Structures are given as C-alpha cells and as structure tokens.
Amino acid sequence: MRYVFVTGGAGYIGSHACLKLKQRGLIPVTLDNLSTGWNDAVKFGPLEKLDLLDREALRNCFSRYKPIAVMHFAALSHVGESIKEPIKYWSNNVIGSLNLIKETVAANCRHFVFSSTCATYGEHDGILINEQTPQKPINSYGASKLAVENMLIDVSKAQSLNYMIFRYFNVAGADPSGQIGELHIPETHLIPSAFDVISGKTKYIEVFGNDYPTRDGTCVRDYVHVVDLIVAHLLGLEKLLAGGKSGIFNLGTGSGFTVNEVLTAVEKCLDCQLPVIQVGRRRGDCASLVCGSRLAFKELGWHLSRSSLEDMIGDAWQWHQASNYRK
Ligand code: UDP
C-alpha cells in the first residue's frame, strides 16, 4: 500500500490533495484534529483524528502506515487572529510542525511537501513577488510559516529528508465534481463571504479599506484555483519520489485583482447585486500580493487550467449551494 499522510486532510486544501492522491493511485491518510476541518470532507482515505502536538499519537500512526511521504497542510491560517493570538499560532503551527518533522525523520520517511504562504514575504507593494523576494512577514501567521520553512531547510541538510515548499497566493474555487469545497466557521475569506450574503446568511459584505495604493484603493490579490494548486503539489511529490531534489515554489497566476473587481465578478457570474459596506482596513493586510514567478511552470511543468475568476467563482458557488459538511 502506498500511503501518503495528509495533515489537515479534512480542510479545504487538504481534502483536495486527498482527492488528487486517490486519483493517482495513492492512499491519502488524513491526520486532522477536526478543529477547523470536517469529518464529511474525508472521503478518499482513512481519517486519523489526532493533534500534531501529540507526538505519541503521531509516532503510532507512522509505525502503522509507514507512509512514503507527508503532505503538511494543517495550520491555523487567519491573519487577523494571528495578530491577536500569536502564542496560539506559534504553538500550533510551529511546535506541531516540529513534532511532525521529528516523527517523519524518525520513521525514515523521506519526502515532505509543505503548504506555506505568500504571507511569509510581508509588504512588497507594487512589485511582483518571486522566490528570491526577501521574506519579512508582518503577522504571526506568516512568521510561523516562515519558521517551519527554515526548520525544514535546516533539517534536510543533516537528514535524508527532501522537501517541496509551496508558497500560496490566494486559493479559491472547488473541485468541479462538487464533492468538496471551502467551508469555514466563521467565514472570513472574500469569495465565500460574498456567497454568504447571496444565500442570505449575512446581510452585506464589508470591504476592508479603500485607501490602499492600488488602482481602485482596495487590496490586490492573486487568486489561484485549488485544483490547479493541488496539481502543482502532485508534480512536486512525483519529482521527489523519482529522486528529484528539494524545491521552493510560489504558486500564483501572475495576475492580481482588487477586492472590488472580485466582487464585481461575483455579481456578474451569479447575476446578482451584492450589498457592500466600505469599512476601515483590516489589520495585517498588505496592499498587494501578486506572484511574479514562473519557476513552478518551468521546473515542475505546472500549468493552469481553471484559474480564471469565472471558473473559480462558478466552481466555488456550485459547492457552496450543495455544501452540508458536519463534524
Ligand atoms: N476582504 C474584504 N472583505 C471580506 C473578506 C476579505 O474586503 O469580507 C479582503 C481582504 O482585506 C483582502 C482580500 O479581501 O484584501 C482577500 O482576503 P481573504 O481573507 O480572502 O484572504 P487573505 O488575503 O487574507 O489570505
């Protein structure tokens, strides 16, 4: 049996990784404490309910499954919350990851794929961000992810551990099959928050800040479809399994959209009018985060197939209407 551990496999991006692993003939084993993930999202392989802070439970899983690789998605990921509760972020994201890396090495499992973020770069307004852009995170979420990147790079120098580090820009959309998608409680992300308004769960969408140095004053983000994002992970994993060397890749499209542009696209795609309220800036938000790298295209043979705003909104809306996850 070719098992791959997927931490956070009950969450949005991790569940899409499980689906793709299964399609490639591997068995995804979800390791998840279900703090933010969903039992119902674990459809493609076994679930081991555990917390990464529990090393005994982790060790037990490694000895039972003997995975050929680890894909590590489990993390707290809200910028605003991370500023208010940094200890929670350092503990969960950094100590949890350290435990996972320790047990991966102890089990002689040699391939590690890590879900990192463009939030590790911090403020670089007006420039396109590539892998060489200095990493100066401005919030505890970005700082905790950067610490794990450094841990992995450092450990791999001394141990036979290879890694793929993927720094995501903004992930959106859902698998077109409608089986899995994005659901957070409370919802904070832009596109699903707009859907909550359309489906009557909330009354209006707040736009955070209109005085940024961008074309319409609202923040610019680079949105990439979750299915495209996961294809890059599989390409990276296959490269490691084939004996390829470790790598660090930004995953984004190279095109940025303002908050207003995204909301207008939602209105157009779903033929609706969104009640919008302009409010002040959200703490921890950078004006612009756009990927300026084609390294993943060049070195992994990655290409984008569904990352237009229309496809991301359409696929996410299809999932949103059908979603009925439970814990
Ligand atoms: N945003 C907004 N209103 C919302 C949610 C998000 O104006 O209800 C903005 C947010 O300030 C950021 C962009 O939309 O500029 C994307 O935010 P999201 O939380 O989706 O992702 P993040 O960039 O924080 O990872």
Side-chain angles (χ1 to χ4, degrees), residues 126-155:
I127 68 155
L128 296 176
I129 294 170
N130 64 38
E131 291 79 1
Q132 273 70 52
T133 303
Q135 289 175 288
K136 297 181 201 158
I138 61 163
N139 51 59
S140 305
Y141 167 59
S144 68
K145 287 283 187 173
L146 179 57
V148 180
E149 285 193 11
N150 287 330
M151 255 158 38
L152 261 180
I153 294 166
D154 213 34
V155 170

PDB file of all heavy atoms in Angstrom, residues 126-155:
ATOM      1  N   GLY A 126       3.509  46.897  -4.988  1.00  0.00           N
ATOM      2  CA  GLY A 126       3.836  47.345  -6.339  1.00  0.00           C
ATOM      3  C   GLY A 126       4.795  46.436  -7.071  1.00  0.00           C
ATOM      4  O   GLY A 126       4.982  46.571  -8.272  1.00  0.00           O
ATOM      5  N   ILE A 127       5.408  45.455  -6.374  1.00  0.00           N
ATOM      6  CA  ILE A 127       6.312  44.576  -7.127  1.00  0.00           C
ATOM      7  C   ILE A 127       5.704  43.178  -7.231  1.00  0.00           C
ATOM      8  O   ILE A 127       4.862  42.784  -6.423  1.00  0.00           O
ATOM      9  CB  ILE A 127       7.727  44.475  -6.498  1.00  0.00           C
ATOM     10  CG1 ILE A 127       7.676  43.731  -5.145  1.00  0.00           C
ATOM     11  CG2 ILE A 127       8.386  45.834  -6.343  1.00  0.00           C
ATOM     12  CD1 ILE A 127       8.999  43.092  -4.791  1.00  0.00           C
ATOM     13  N   LEU A 128       6.146  42.460  -8.245  1.00  0.00           N
ATOM     14  CA  LEU A 128       5.736  41.066  -8.373  1.00  0.00           C
ATOM     15  C   LEU A 128       6.672  40.241  -7.502  1.00  0.00           C
ATOM     16  O   LEU A 128       7.888  40.476  -7.483  1.00  0.00           O
ATOM     17  CB  LEU A 128       5.832  40.636  -9.838  1.00  0.00           C
ATOM     18  CG  LEU A 128       4.887  41.380 -10.783  1.00  0.00           C
ATOM     19  CD1 LEU A 128       5.128  40.960 -12.222  1.00  0.00           C
ATOM     20  CD2 LEU A 128       3.431  41.106 -10.398  1.00  0.00           C
ATOM     21  N   ILE A 129       6.104  39.270  -6.789  1.00  0.00           N
ATOM     22  CA  ILE A 129       6.894  38.544  -5.796  1.00  0.00           C
ATOM     23  C   ILE A 129       7.419  37.232  -6.385  1.00  0.00           C
ATOM     24  O   ILE A 129       6.643  36.423  -6.900  1.00  0.00           O
ATOM     25  CB  ILE A 129       6.018  38.270  -4.557  1.00  0.00           C
ATOM     26  CG1 ILE A 129       5.669  39.615  -3.899  1.00  0.00           C
ATOM     27  CG2 ILE A 129       6.704  37.337  -3.579  1.00  0.00           C
ATOM     28  CD1 ILE A 129       4.635  39.513  -2.813  1.00  0.00           C
ATOM     29  N   ASN A 130       8.737  37.058  -6.336  1.00  0.00           N
ATOM     30  CA  ASN A 130       9.291  35.764  -6.752  1.00  0.00           C
ATOM     31  C   ASN A 130       9.969  35.099  -5.546  1.00  0.00           C
ATOM     32  O   ASN A 130       9.970  35.654  -4.449  1.00  0.00           O
ATOM     33  CB  ASN A 130      10.235  35.918  -7.955  1.00  0.00           C
ATOM     34  CG  ASN A 130      11.463  36.739  -7.601  1.00  0.00           C
ATOM     35  OD1 ASN A 130      12.006  36.627  -6.509  1.00  0.00           O
ATOM     36  ND2 ASN A 130      11.898  37.581  -8.526  1.00  0.00           N
ATOM     37  N   GLU A 131      10.537  33.935  -5.750  1.00  0.00           N
ATOM     38  CA  GLU A 131      11.067  33.163  -4.629  1.00  0.00           C
ATOM     39  C   GLU A 131      12.271  33.833  -3.965  1.00  0.00           C
ATOM     40  O   GLU A 131      12.627  33.481  -2.839  1.00  0.00           O
ATOM     41  CB  GLU A 131      11.451  31.740  -5.076  1.00  0.00           C
ATOM     42  CG  GLU A 131      10.262  30.844  -5.446  1.00  0.00           C
ATOM     43  CD  GLU A 131       9.698  31.099  -6.833  1.00  0.00           C
ATOM     44  OE1 GLU A 131      10.224  31.972  -7.563  1.00  0.00           O
ATOM     45  OE2 GLU A 131       8.713  30.434  -7.196  1.00  0.00           O
ATOM     46  N   GLN A 132      12.901  34.787  -4.671  1.00  0.00           N
ATOM     47  CA  GLN A 132      14.066  35.479  -4.082  1.00  0.00           C
ATOM     48  C   GLN A 132      13.666  36.757  -3.330  1.00  0.00           C
ATOM     49  O   GLN A 132      14.503  37.388  -2.682  1.00  0.00           O
ATOM     50  CB  GLN A 132      15.078  35.865  -5.169  1.00  0.00           C
ATOM     51  CG  GLN A 132      16.088  34.768  -5.477  1.00  0.00           C
ATOM     52  CD  GLN A 132      15.419  33.609  -6.191  1.00  0.00           C
ATOM     53  OE1 GLN A 132      14.736  33.813  -7.187  1.00  0.00           O
ATOM     54  NE2 GLN A 132      15.586  32.411  -5.665  1.00  0.00           N
ATOM     55  N   THR A 133      12.431  37.167  -3.439  1.00  0.00           N
ATOM     56  CA  THR A 133      11.978  38.370  -2.731  1.00  0.00           C
ATOM     57  C   THR A 133      12.219  38.164  -1.227  1.00  0.00           C
ATOM     58  O   THR A 133      11.892  37.090  -0.687  1.00  0.00           O
ATOM     59  CB  THR A 133      10.467  38.598  -3.003  1.00  0.00           C
ATOM     60  OG1 THR A 133      10.285  38.703  -4.415  1.00  0.00           O
ATOM     61  CG2 THR A 133       9.958  39.858  -2.332  1.00  0.00           C
ATOM     62  N   PRO A 134      12.799  39.156  -0.545  1.00  0.00           N
ATOM     63  CA  PRO A 134      13.065  38.964   0.895  1.00  0.00           C
ATOM     64  C   PRO A 134      11.793  38.634   1.691  1.00  0.00           C
ATOM     65  O   PRO A 134      10.741  39.220   1.443  1.00  0.00           O
ATOM     66  CB  PRO A 134      13.636  40.320   1.327  1.00  0.00           C
ATOM     67  CG  PRO A 134      14.151  40.931   0.073  1.00  0.00           C
ATOM     68  CD  PRO A 134      13.283  40.433  -1.046  1.00  0.00           C
ATOM     69  N   GLN A 135      11.939  37.694   2.609  1.00  0.00           N
ATOM     70  CA  GLN A 135      10.794  37.282   3.427  1.00  0.00           C
ATOM     71  C   GLN A 135      10.805  38.057   4.743  1.00  0.00           C
ATOM     72  O   GLN A 135      11.686  37.843   5.584  1.00  0.00           O
ATOM     73  CB  GLN A 135      10.851  35.772   3.676  1.00  0.00           C
ATOM     74  CG  GLN A 135      10.549  34.960   2.421  1.00  0.00           C
ATOM     75  CD  GLN A 135      10.725  33.483   2.636  1.00  0.00           C
ATOM     76  OE1 GLN A 135      11.848  33.011   2.763  1.00  0.00           O
ATOM     77  NE2 GLN A 135       9.641  32.737   2.698  1.00  0.00           N
ATOM     78  N   LYS A 136       9.846  38.969   4.856  1.00  0.00           N
ATOM     79  CA  LYS A 136       9.739  39.779   6.080  1.00  0.00           C
ATOM     80  C   LYS A 136       8.274  39.828   6.490  1.00  0.00           C
ATOM     81  O   LYS A 136       7.581  40.821   6.237  1.00  0.00           O
ATOM     82  CB  LYS A 136      10.209  41.214   5.784  1.00  0.00           C
ATOM     83  CG  LYS A 136      11.669  41.326   5.381  1.00  0.00           C
ATOM     84  CD  LYS A 136      11.973  42.805   5.158  1.00  0.00           C
ATOM     85  CE  LYS A 136      13.187  43.010   4.298  1.00  0.00           C
ATOM     86  NZ  LYS A 136      13.200  44.330   3.658  1.00  0.00           N
ATOM     87  N   PRO A 137       7.778  38.731   7.080  1.00  0.00           N
ATOM     88  CA  PRO A 137       6.344  38.669   7.403  1.00  0.00           C
ATOM     89  C   PRO A 137       5.920  39.773   8.353  1.00  0.00           C
ATOM     90  O   PRO A 137       6.704  40.186   9.215  1.00  0.00           O
ATOM     91  CB  PRO A 137       6.191  37.291   8.044  1.00  0.00           C
ATOM     92  CG  PRO A 137       7.562  36.837   8.400  1.00  0.00           C
ATOM     93  CD  PRO A 137       8.515  37.534   7.490  1.00  0.00           C
ATOM     94  N   ILE A 138       4.673  40.238   8.183  1.00  0.00           N
ATOM     95  CA  ILE A 138       4.177  41.313   9.055  1.00  0.00           C
ATOM     96  C   ILE A 138       3.104  40.800  10.021  1.00  0.00           C
ATOM     97  O   ILE A 138       2.450  41.574  10.700  1.00  0.00           O
ATOM     98  CB  ILE A 138       3.640  42.511   8.241  1.00  0.00           C
ATOM     99  CG1 ILE A 138       2.456  42.094   7.357  1.00  0.00           C
ATOM    100  CG2 ILE A 138       4.740  43.167   7.424  1.00  0.00           C
ATOM    101  CD1 ILE A 138       1.639  43.278   6.852  1.00  0.00           C
ATOM    102  N   ASN A 139       2.876  39.501  10.044  1.00  0.00           N
ATOM    103  CA  ASN A 139       1.920  38.970  11.031  1.00  0.00           C
ATOM    104  C   ASN A 139       2.400  37.592  11.503  1.00  0.00           C
ATOM    105  O   ASN A 139       3.272  36.972  10.875  1.00  0.00           O
ATOM    106  CB  ASN A 139       0.501  38.908  10.437  1.00  0.00           C
ATOM    107  CG  ASN A 139       0.493  38.204   9.092  1.00  0.00           C
ATOM    108  OD1 ASN A 139       0.884  37.047   8.989  1.00  0.00           O
ATOM    109  ND2 ASN A 139       0.065  38.919   8.054  1.00  0.00           N
ATOM    110  N   SER A 140       1.834  37.136  12.615  1.00  0.00           N
ATOM    111  CA  SER A 140       2.315  35.891  13.231  1.00  0.00           C
ATOM    112  C   SER A 140       2.019  34.679  12.354  1.00  0.00           C
ATOM    113  O   SER A 140       2.741  33.672  12.414  1.00  0.00           O
ATOM    114  CB  SER A 140       1.673  35.690  14.601  1.00  0.00           C
ATOM    115  OG  SER A 140       1.915  36.819  15.386  1.00  0.00           O
ATOM    116  N   TYR A 141       0.964  34.753  11.559  1.00  0.00           N
ATOM    117  CA  TYR A 141       0.682  33.647  10.642  1.00  0.00           C
ATOM    118  C   TYR A 141       1.861  33.469   9.672  1.00  0.00           C
ATOM    119  O   TYR A 141       2.437  32.380   9.562  1.00  0.00           O
ATOM    120  CB  TYR A 141      -0.624  33.925   9.880  1.00  0.00           C
ATOM    121  CG  TYR A 141      -0.841  33.023   8.705  1.00  0.00           C
ATOM    122  CD1 TYR A 141      -0.901  31.635   8.876  1.00  0.00           C
ATOM    123  CD2 TYR A 141      -0.982  33.532   7.407  1.00  0.00           C
ATOM    124  CE1 TYR A 141      -1.088  30.790   7.787  1.00  0.00           C
ATOM    125  CE2 TYR A 141      -1.163  32.698   6.325  1.00  0.00           C
ATOM    126  CZ  TYR A 141      -1.217  31.330   6.525  1.00  0.00           C
ATOM    127  OH  TYR A 141      -1.393  30.507   5.444  1.00  0.00           O
ATOM    128  N   GLY A 142       2.238  34.553   8.989  1.00  0.00           N
ATOM    129  CA  GLY A 142       3.360  34.488   8.045  1.00  0.00           C
ATOM    130  C   GLY A 142       4.659  34.110   8.741  1.00  0.00           C
ATOM    131  O   GLY A 142       5.450  33.304   8.230  1.00  0.00           O
ATOM    132  N   ALA A 143       4.869  34.662   9.933  1.00  0.00           N
ATOM    133  CA  ALA A 143       6.109  34.377  10.665  1.00  0.00           C
ATOM    134  C   ALA A 143       6.177  32.905  11.071  1.00  0.00           C
ATOM    135  O   ALA A 143       7.240  32.274  10.999  1.00  0.00           O
ATOM    136  CB  ALA A 143       6.193  35.268  11.902  1.00  0.00           C
ATOM    137  N   SER A 144       5.040  32.339  11.465  1.00  0.00           N
ATOM    138  CA  SER A 144       5.047  30.932  11.894  1.00  0.00           C
ATOM    139  C   SER A 144       5.306  30.009  10.700  1.00  0.00           C
ATOM    140  O   SER A 144       6.016  29.009  10.811  1.00  0.00           O
ATOM    141  CB  SER A 144       3.741  30.568  12.613  1.00  0.00           C
ATOM    142  OG  SER A 144       2.641  30.587  11.723  1.00  0.00           O
ATOM    143  N   LYS A 145       4.778  30.353   9.545  1.00  0.00           N
ATOM    144  CA  LYS A 145       5.017  29.535   8.337  1.00  0.00           C
ATOM    145  C   LYS A 145       6.485  29.653   7.900  1.00  0.00           C
ATOM    146  O   LYS A 145       7.098  28.668   7.478  1.00  0.00           O
ATOM    147  CB  LYS A 145       4.094  29.990   7.207  1.00  0.00           C
ATOM    148  CG  LYS A 145       2.640  29.583   7.403  1.00  0.00           C
ATOM    149  CD  LYS A 145       2.458  28.099   7.081  1.00  0.00           C
ATOM    150  CE  LYS A 145       1.008  27.691   7.098  1.00  0.00           C
ATOM    151  NZ  LYS A 145       0.785  26.315   6.636  1.00  0.00           N
ATOM    152  N   LEU A 146       7.032  30.846   8.009  1.00  0.00           N
ATOM    153  CA  LEU A 146       8.442  31.036   7.638  1.00  0.00           C
ATOM    154  C   LEU A 146       9.349  30.217   8.560  1.00  0.00           C
ATOM    155  O   LEU A 146      10.325  29.601   8.113  1.00  0.00           O
ATOM    156  CB  LEU A 146       8.804  32.529   7.702  1.00  0.00           C
ATOM    157  CG  LEU A 146      10.246  32.883   7.366  1.00  0.00           C
ATOM    158  CD1 LEU A 146      10.648  32.380   5.976  1.00  0.00           C
ATOM    159  CD2 LEU A 146      10.456  34.401   7.443  1.00  0.00           C
ATOM    160  N   ALA A 147       9.004  30.175   9.850  1.00  0.00           N
ATOM    161  CA  ALA A 147       9.802  29.387  10.801  1.00  0.00           C
ATOM    162  C   ALA A 147       9.815  27.916  10.390  1.00  0.00           C
ATOM    163  O   ALA A 147      10.856  27.245  10.454  1.00  0.00           O
ATOM    164  CB  ALA A 147       9.238  29.545  12.212  1.00  0.00           C
ATOM    165  N   VAL A 148       8.682  27.406   9.934  1.00  0.00           N
ATOM    166  CA  VAL A 148       8.625  25.990   9.532  1.00  0.00           C
ATOM    167  C   VAL A 148       9.437  25.769   8.256  1.00  0.00           C
ATOM    168  O   VAL A 148      10.147  24.763   8.126  1.00  0.00           O
ATOM    169  CB  VAL A 148       7.158  25.523   9.347  1.00  0.00           C
ATOM    170  CG1 VAL A 148       7.117  24.061   8.921  1.00  0.00           C
ATOM    171  CG2 VAL A 148       6.373  25.718  10.631  1.00  0.00           C
ATOM    172  N   GLU A 149       9.363  26.708   7.332  1.00  0.00           N
ATOM    173  CA  GLU A 149      10.204  26.597   6.124  1.00  0.00           C
ATOM    174  C   GLU A 149      11.673  26.454   6.538  1.00  0.00           C
ATOM    175  O   GLU A 149      12.391  25.584   6.045  1.00  0.00           O
ATOM    176  CB  GLU A 149      10.088  27.869   5.264  1.00  0.00           C
ATOM    177  CG  GLU A 149       8.804  28.000   4.492  1.00  0.00           C
ATOM    178  CD  GLU A 149       8.898  29.110   3.428  1.00  0.00           C
ATOM    179  OE1 GLU A 149      10.005  29.618   3.164  1.00  0.00           O
ATOM    180  OE2 GLU A 149       7.849  29.462   2.864  1.00  0.00           O
ATOM    181  N   ASN A 150      12.103  27.326   7.445  1.00  0.00           N
ATOM    182  CA  ASN A 150      13.507  27.307   7.868  1.00  0.00           C
ATOM    183  C   ASN A 150      13.875  26.007   8.563  1.00  0.00           C
ATOM    184  O   ASN A 150      14.969  25.472   8.382  1.00  0.00           O
ATOM    185  CB  ASN A 150      13.811  28.515   8.758  1.00  0.00           C
ATOM    186  CG  ASN A 150      13.859  29.794   7.937  1.00  0.00           C
ATOM    187  OD1 ASN A 150      14.217  29.763   6.754  1.00  0.00           O
ATOM    188  ND2 ASN A 150      13.475  30.909   8.524  1.00  0.00           N
ATOM    189  N   MET A 151      12.928  25.499   9.362  1.00  0.00           N
ATOM    190  CA  MET A 151      13.162  24.216  10.043  1.00  0.00           C
ATOM    191  C   MET A 151      13.410  23.113   9.018  1.00  0.00           C
ATOM    192  O   MET A 151      14.357  22.333   9.118  1.00  0.00           O
ATOM    193  CB  MET A 151      11.917  23.838  10.857  1.00  0.00           C
ATOM    194  CG  MET A 151      12.084  24.053  12.337  1.00  0.00           C
ATOM    195  SD  MET A 151      10.537  24.236  13.241  1.00  0.00           S
ATOM    196  CE  MET A 151       9.398  23.150  12.545  1.00  0.00           C
ATOM    197  N   LEU A 152      12.547  23.065   8.026  1.00  0.00           N
ATOM    198  CA  LEU A 152      12.644  22.009   7.003  1.00  0.00           C
ATOM    199  C   LEU A 152      13.958  22.094   6.234  1.00  0.00           C
ATOM    200  O   LEU A 152      14.628  21.075   6.015  1.00  0.00           O
ATOM    201  CB  LEU A 152      11.516  22.205   5.987  1.00  0.00           C
ATOM    202  CG  LEU A 152      10.270  21.361   6.136  1.00  0.00           C
ATOM    203  CD1 LEU A 152       9.281  21.718   5.043  1.00  0.00           C
ATOM    204  CD2 LEU A 152      10.619  19.869   6.057  1.00  0.00           C
ATOM    205  N   ILE A 153      14.304  23.317   5.824  1.00  0.00           N
ATOM    206  CA  ILE A 153      15.531  23.507   5.045  1.00  0.00           C
ATOM    207  C   ILE A 153      16.735  23.074   5.874  1.00  0.00           C
ATOM    208  O   ILE A 153      17.625  22.370   5.403  1.00  0.00           O
ATOM    209  CB  ILE A 153      15.645  24.987   4.602  1.00  0.00           C
ATOM    210  CG1 ILE A 153      14.522  25.315   3.616  1.00  0.00           C
ATOM    211  CG2 ILE A 153      17.020  25.287   3.991  1.00  0.00           C
ATOM    212  CD1 ILE A 153      14.316  26.802   3.356  1.00  0.00           C
ATOM    213  N   ASP A 154      16.702  23.458   7.138  1.00  0.00           N
ATOM    214  CA  ASP A 154      17.804  23.150   8.045  1.00  0.00           C
ATOM    215  C   ASP A 154      17.923  21.643   8.307  1.00  0.00           C
ATOM    216  O   ASP A 154      18.999  21.062   8.178  1.00  0.00           O
ATOM    217  CB  ASP A 154      17.527  23.891   9.358  1.00  0.00           C
ATOM    218  CG  ASP A 154      18.799  24.327  10.017  1.00  0.00           C
ATOM    219  OD1 ASP A 154      19.746  24.653   9.292  1.00  0.00           O
ATOM    220  OD2 ASP A 154      18.838  24.310  11.265  1.00  0.00           O
ATOM    221  N   VAL A 155      16.794  21.031   8.630  1.00  0.00           N
ATOM    222  CA  VAL A 155      16.806  19.589   8.945  1.00  0.00           C
ATOM    223  C   VAL A 155      17.261  18.796   7.723  1.00  0.00           C
ATOM    224  O   VAL A 155      18.020  17.831   7.832  1.00  0.00           O
ATOM    225  CB  VAL A 155      15.412  19.122   9.427  1.00  0.00           C
ATOM    226  CG1 VAL A 155      15.334  17.604   9.524  1.00  0.00           C
ATOM    227  CG2 VAL A 155      15.076  19.753  10.776  1.00  0.00           C
TER     228      VAL A 155
END
